[in-house]
């Protein structure tokens, strides 16, 4: 392993001396080194991902993966086709600068946005490589592109282009540049499907038409444009709470675009890395859909409508909610033996994770036990709540998945719900007419008492009334989660 | 499905054998996807956010394709597109690995006394 890296380094030296390069290292030998580097990189990527199966091995694993990336890049630089380095160098420097700046200064609450935009960057790279390759083959070499190669290129630019704009739309919604509510209009699904069919037809035409036909290049570029349009239109009708599924799907598409690039360029490391990413995104989107009890097609085509809302509100008409004072809530928490905290997107919006940790520490100091119940789709991306709580120094052995903790709610003295709504709505269990019926939820309603921190009585994202709030053992503490928690911390201290 | 079969036959025709290069690449793709799926089912939900940013950094491997496009001097168009591709992919690679590390650093076990 080490010796192969050394040999690669020698190859690099040879590559920087143009005169020597032609004689001392032939293209075949270089190609061999490149393949060794790619194989090593592929193995390191797989080992790296394996590290993520345990939190204490994860960092080391990712360092292996980063080394793999370095090996792959260094290996590529000795490619005999690369004759000038100034643009490469400039791109590497600018990209590293921007990438590092984003990752150092970005607040942890912006992780979903950053992930969305990075899918756009990855897809952009794949698409540009595809267009550049196509341009080279048709306009420079005037070479016939085989059907198989064209299929790979077509997949690459189509997945790539729709991921670029789809991810930008997701970014816009998460950053609240666009409304996070679904944007719907008449015949939306019909027109989206129609456009998608057009893209597929263009793709099929390209594959089965000889590439020297006059119409070939215009159709290729038209397909890129249609791909870009499809990306915008399929994400626009998807609401904020469905973002975990969408982000995972875009993650998968970005990987598939990389894989297709590998097919087009005949490069195995691209195929492997892309397939790993594609599989990961695919699996995550399945998990997220399951956690919402919805199918892919339902997420993509079934923007939550208004009809269901009116049906659900009638069931709670006439009931009243009970609001609670900070002092009473603090007293409940201070004397609780077991508290289960249920964080939701509201905690992320208020950036209240540090206050949550402070409150949990106070309760523990008084002899209580505090656990965190994490619903798979709480927040805007898979694992969103875990990262925020880890940032606030909550030890990860206090964070529990839904399946691990659901049986414990009956023993809990207090369930503290912070800015979560649909994931604790008992209607998912009891009310077959509810749009979220069948979705697995956290059994917060089974705790001896429930305190809900909530900004106002506006229903949650899905626009569904939550009967939990009307439960006699449930009390609501209104206000911004951060300021409510700060007050609670103060009150528990003096309780 | 017929389009796929047609594509397969086309691949056989282009390379002259059933074990064509595109077909072998497809093997690699399927097996790598399978390995990925097997590993990722074992990643705990706790680490799903770092997982996504890690796979995203890894899929920045399209950098490798961009490098050739930017450095091969095929044409001005290729070089310019390649340059932007290198920049975008590098943002992903560098940013992705750095932020994943920053996240993973935060995950700590409870200190035992």
């Amino acid at each position: 392993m080490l010796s192969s890296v050394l040999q690669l380094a020698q190859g690099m030296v040879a590559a920087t001396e143009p005169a020597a390069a032609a004689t001392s290292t032939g293209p075949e030998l270089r190609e061999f080194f490149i393949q060794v580097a790619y194989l090593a990189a592929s193995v390191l990527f797989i080992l790296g991902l394996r590290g993520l199966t345990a939190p204490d091995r994860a960092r080391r694993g990712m360092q292996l993966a980063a080394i793999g990336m370095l090996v792959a890049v260094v290996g590529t630089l000795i490619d005999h086709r690369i004759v000038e380095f100034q643009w490469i160098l400039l791109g590497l420097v600018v990209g590293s600068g921007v990438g590092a700046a984003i990752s150092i200064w970005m607040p942890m609450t912006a992780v979903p946005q950053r992930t969305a935009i990075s899918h756009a960057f990855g897809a952009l790279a794949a698409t540009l490589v595809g267009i550049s390759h196509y341009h080279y083959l048709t306009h420079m070499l005037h070479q016939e592109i085989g059907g198989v190669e064209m299929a790979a290129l077509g997949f690459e630019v189509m997945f790539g282009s729709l991921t670029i704009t789809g991810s930008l739309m997701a970014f816009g919604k998460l950053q609240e540049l666009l409304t996070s509510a679904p944007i719907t209009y008449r015949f939306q699904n019909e027109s989206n499907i129609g456009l998608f069919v057009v893209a597929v037809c263009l793709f099929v035409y390209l594959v089965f038409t000889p590439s020297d036909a006059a119409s070939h290049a215009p159709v290729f570029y038209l397909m890129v444009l249609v791909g870009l349009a499809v990306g915008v239109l399929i994400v626009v009708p998807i609401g904020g709470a469905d973002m975990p599924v969408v982000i995972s799907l875009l993650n998968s598409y970005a990987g598939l675009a990389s894989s297709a690039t590998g097919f087009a360029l005949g490069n195995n490391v691209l195929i492997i890395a892309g397939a790993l990413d594609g599989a990961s995104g695919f699996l995550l989107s399945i998990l997220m859909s399951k956690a919402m009890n919805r199918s892919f097609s339902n997420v993509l085509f079934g923007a939550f409508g208004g009809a269901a809302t009116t049906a659900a509100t009638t069931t709670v008409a006439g009931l009243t909610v009970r609001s609670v004072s900070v002092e009473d809530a603090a007293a409940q928490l201070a004397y609780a033996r077991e508290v289960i905290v249920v964080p939701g997107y509201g905690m992320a919006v208020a950036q209240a994770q540090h206050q949550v940790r402070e409150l949990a520490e106070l309760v523990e100091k008084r002899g209580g036990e505090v656990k965190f119940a994490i619903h798979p789709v709480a927040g805007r991306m898979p694992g969103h709540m875990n990262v925020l709580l880890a940032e606030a120094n909550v030890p990860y052995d206090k964070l529990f998945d839904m399946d691990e903790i659901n049986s414990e709610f009956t023993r809990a003295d207090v369930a503290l719900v912070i800015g979560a709504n649909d994931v604790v709505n008992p209607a998912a269990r009891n009310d077959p007419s509810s749009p979220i019926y069948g979705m697995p939820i956290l059994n917060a309603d089974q705790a001896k008492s429930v305190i809900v921190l909530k900004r106002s009585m506006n229903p949650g994202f899905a626009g569904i009334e939550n009967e939990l709030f009307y439960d006699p053992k449930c009390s609501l503490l209104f206000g911004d989660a951060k300021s409510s928690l700060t007050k609670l911390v103060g009150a528990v201290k003096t309780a | 499905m017929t389009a796929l079969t047609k594509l397969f036959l086309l691949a056989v025709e282009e390379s002259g054998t059933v074990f064509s290069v595109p077909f072998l690449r497809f093997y690699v793709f399927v097996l790598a996807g399978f390995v990925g799926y097997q590993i990722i089912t074992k990643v705990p939900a706790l680490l799903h956010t770092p997982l996504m940013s890690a796979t995203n950094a890894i899929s920045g491997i399209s950098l490798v394709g961009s490098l050739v496009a930017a450095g091969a001097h095929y044409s001005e168009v290729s070089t310019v597109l390649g340059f932007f591709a290198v920049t975008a992919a590098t943002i992903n690679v560098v940013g992705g690995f750095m932020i994943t590390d920053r996240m993973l650093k935060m995950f700590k076990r409870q200190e035992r006394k």
Side-chain angles (χ1 to χ4, degrees):
Chain A
M1 177 54 228
L2 197 68
S3 65
S4 68
V5 174
L6 275 176
Q7 281 170 325
L8 279 171
Q10 286 165 358
M12 270 294 289
V13 175
T16 49
E17 300 163 22
T23 52
S24 67
T25 10
E28 297 84 9
L29 196 59
R30 288 193 191 196
E31 187 55 33
F32 173 72
F33 286 140
I34 294 173
Q35 291 308 322
V36 170
Y38 285 173
L39 186 60
S42 306
V43 171
L44 287 168
F45 289 156
I46 291 171
L47 288 178
L49 285 180
R50 204 173 138 259
L52 285 177
T53 53
D56 46 352
R57 282 201 311 241
R59 269 190 89 190
R60 241 188 79 80
M62 286 329 295
Q63 284 155 6
L64 285 182
I67 293 172
M69 187 60 78
L70 191 67
V71 170
V73 169
V74 171
T76 308
L77 289 176
I78 65 171
D79 192 305
H80 68 276
R81 284 172 297 176
I82 296 181
V83 290
E84 52 179 22
F85 285 87
Q86 68 270 34
W87 292 107
I88 292 179
L89 214 60
L90 188 61
L92 287 176
V93 169
V94 173
S96 302
V98 174
I102 294 175
S103 61
I104 291 170
W105 285 298
M106 183 206 72
M108 273 298 152
T109 38
V111 162
Q113 291 92 301
R114 194 217 71 99
T115 309
I117 199 133
S118 68
H119 292 155
F121 283 129
L124 179 66
T127 311
L128 291 177
V129 171
I131 295 175
S132 154
H133 194 60
Y134 180 81
H135 180 269
Y136 173 59
L137 291 179
T138 51
H139 301 285
M140 305 304 292
L141 296 185
H142 303 287
Q143 187 180 312
E144 171 93 13
I145 303 177
V148 178
E149 193 177 7
M150 192 58 234
L153 267 175
F155 267 120
E156 180 184 347
V157 297
M158 204 149 78
F159 268 120
S161 55
L162 78 87
T163 308
I164 296 172
T165 48
S167 301
L168 287 176
M169 287 298 116
F171 171 79
K173 282 180 176 248
L174 291 165
Q175 186 70 36
E176 301 194 335
L177 302 171
L178 301 167
T179 167
S180 69
I183 299 169
T184 54
Y185 46 87
R186 273 166 67 94
F187 303 119
Q188 186 166 30
N189 289 338
E190 291 81 353
S191 59
N192 284 357
I193 292 169
L195 200 63
F196 187 70
V197 170
V198 169
V200 172
C201 290
L202 295 176
F203 175 76
V204 171
Y205 174 85
L206 287 172
V207 171
F208 293 108
T209 309
S211 63
D212 48 8
S215 62
H216 202 270
V219 170
F220 180 82
Y221 296 117
L222 181 65
M223 188 178 76
V224 176
L225 289 179
V226 173
L228 291 171
V230 169
V232 174
L233 295 173
I234 56 171
V235 176
V236 154
I238 298 173
D242 288 341
M243 276 303 152
V245 182
V246 176
I247 280 201
S248 308
L249 264 184
L250 291 169
N251 183 233
S252 179
Y253 290 167
L256 292 176
S258 288
S259 238
T261 312
F263 277 99
L265 302 180
N267 186 325
N268 281 333
V269 74
L270 276 164
I271 296 178
I272 293 171
L276 293 174
D277 190 19
S280 165
F282 182 65
L283 184 71
L284 287 175
S285 39
I286 291 177
L287 291 178
M288 293 304 115
S289 305
K290 265 196 194 144
M292 297 198 291
N293 189 38
R294 297 170 68 192
S295 63
F296 274 174
S297 55
N298 187 275
V299 172
L300 291 178
F301 300 114
F304 267 142
T309 320
T310 49
T313 41
T314 53
T315 60
V316 292
L319 297 173
T320 47
V321 297
R322 192 161 60 90
S323 73
V324 67
S325 68
V326 171
E327 289 70 27
D328 289 347
Q332 279 191 56
L333 288 168
Y335 295 102
R337 277 207 313 279
E338 183 169 352
V339 176
I340 299 181
V341 179
V342 181
Y345 184 56
M347 182 187 82
V349 173
Q351 307 207 9
Q353 64 271 28
H354 296 277
Q355 284 71 24
V356 174
R357 193 251 313 154
E358 215 178 317
L359 182 65
E361 278 179 354
L362 272 177
V363 172
E364 295 206 313
K365 216 176 266 174
R366 300 181 59 105
E369 195 185 5
V370 182
K371 293 178 175 176
F372 293 82
I374 315 288
H375 193 281
V377 292
R380 288 293 183 260
M381 73 179 288
H384 191 184
M385 294 295 121
N386 296 304
V387 169
L388 290 181
L389 290 170
E391 188 207 5
N393 278 322
V394 176
Y396 65 76
D397 29 9
K398 291 188 179 299
L399 310 178
F400 294 91
D401 295 346
M402 180 164 62
D403 301 334
E404 292 174 315
I405 199 146
N406 249 349
S407 57
E408 276 200 43
F409 276 103
T410 48
R411 266 182 284 146
D413 299 302
V414 181
L416 181 64
V417 179
I418 305 170
N421 190 345
D422 297 333
V423 297
V424 291
N425 191 343
R429 236 189 283 126
N430 316 326
D431 180 7
S433 70
S434 169
I436 59 165
Y437 180 69
M439 165 174 155
I441 56 159
L442 291 164
N443 300 332
D445 57 327
Q446 292 173 358
K448 286 168 197 145
S449 70
V450 183
I451 300 173
V452 178
L453 303 192
K454 212 170 158 15
R455 221 203 294 251
S456 69
M457 261 324 276
N458 289 335
F461 166 76
I464 309 155
E465 280 290 353
N466 193 337
E467 59 189 79
L468 173 68
F469 303 154
Y470 303 90
D471 192 314
K473 68 182 174 192
C474 175
S475 46
L476 283 86
L477 181 56
F478 288 107
D480 171 70
K482 195 175 192 164
S483 68
S484 292
L485 282 162
T486 312
K487 286 183 211 149
L488 274 176
V489 167
V492 170
K493 268 184 191 154
T494 56
Chain B
M1 213 56 220
T2 48
L4 274 182
T5 324
K6 221 166 160 187
L7 207 62
F8 175 74
L9 292 176
L10 210 62
V12 173
E13 192 185 315
E14 276 171 25
S15 65
T17 155
V18 181
F19 300 103
S20 60
V21 172
F23 201 62
L24 287 179
R25 296 225 167 87
F26 196 67
Y27 263 94
V28 171
F29 173 73
V30 171
L31 292 180
F34 189 72
V35 168
Y37 197 90
Q38 290 299 313
I39 293 176
I40 286 145
T41 43
K42 298 200 184 76
V43 175
L46 176 74
L47 296 180
H48 275 170
T49 297
L51 168 70
M52 195 178 278
S53 79
T55 53
N56 188 247
I58 289 174
S59 81
I61 188 73
S62 29
L63 175 58
V64 162
S66 333
L67 290 175
V68 176
H73 204 74
Y74 288 148
S75 71
E76 267 160 35
V77 176
S78 285
T79 307
V80 169
L81 293 179
F83 163 70
F84 284 111
V86 169
T87 310
T90 310
I91 292 176
N92 243 11
V93 169
V94 173
F97 279 117
M98 281 179 70
I99 198 123
T100 310
D101 190 63
R102 193 177 143 201
M103 277 190 243
L104 290 173
K105 225 169 17 190
M106 301 182 320
F107 283 90
K108 288 185 206 87
R109 209 178 259 283
Q110 192 166 19
E111 285 164 43
R112 302 194 192 281
K113 287 144 206 159

